[in-house]
């Protein structure tokens, strides 16, 4: 399986993981949405599962403008 992390704000690819074993702590299980957890629970071996993360650019923007943390989608 492949875990594909994309930025939830701008949609760019943040990274990929191809874990031999699914380590729930390492993939950020605690911060996943219910929908994402369902995808992981129902994964098949050949599947790519897309998870939402945040890219460096958007992280920087958030650091510079902390008030944006309250907005889920500040970049359209
Ligand atoms: Zn981004």
């Amino acid at each position: 399986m492949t875990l594909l992390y994309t930025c939830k704000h701008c949609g760019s690819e943040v990274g990929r993981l191809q874990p031999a074993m699914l380590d729930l702590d390492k993939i950020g299980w605690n911060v996943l949405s219910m929908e994402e957890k369902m995808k992981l629970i129902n994964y098949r071996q050949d599947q790519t599962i897309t998870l939402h993360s945040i890219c460096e650019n958007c992280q920087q923007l958030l650091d510079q403008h902390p008030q944006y943390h309250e907005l889920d989608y500040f970049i359209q």
Side-chain angles (χ1 to χ4, degrees), residues 22-68:
L22 199 54
D23 186 333
L24 297 180
D25 288 335
K26 285 207 182 100
I27 64 170
W29 182 257
N30 293 335
V31 298
L32 296 179
S33 68
M34 206 49 176
E35 190 192 343
E36 288 170 329
K37 286 180 180 174
M38 291 306 288
K39 276 194 271 182
L40 281 170
I41 290 166
N42 295 314
Y43 84 96
R44 291 198 304 270
Q45 202 58 37
D46 58 346
Q47 261 181 335
T48 298
I49 295 171
T50 306
L51 301 173
H52 290 136
S53 185
I54 186 164
C55 73
E56 259 175 52
N57 289 341
C58 292
Q59 185 62 58
Q60 258 173 29
L61 244 139
L62 286 172
D63 288 344
Q64 285 159 19
H65 306 279
Q67 70 272 23
Y68 286 162

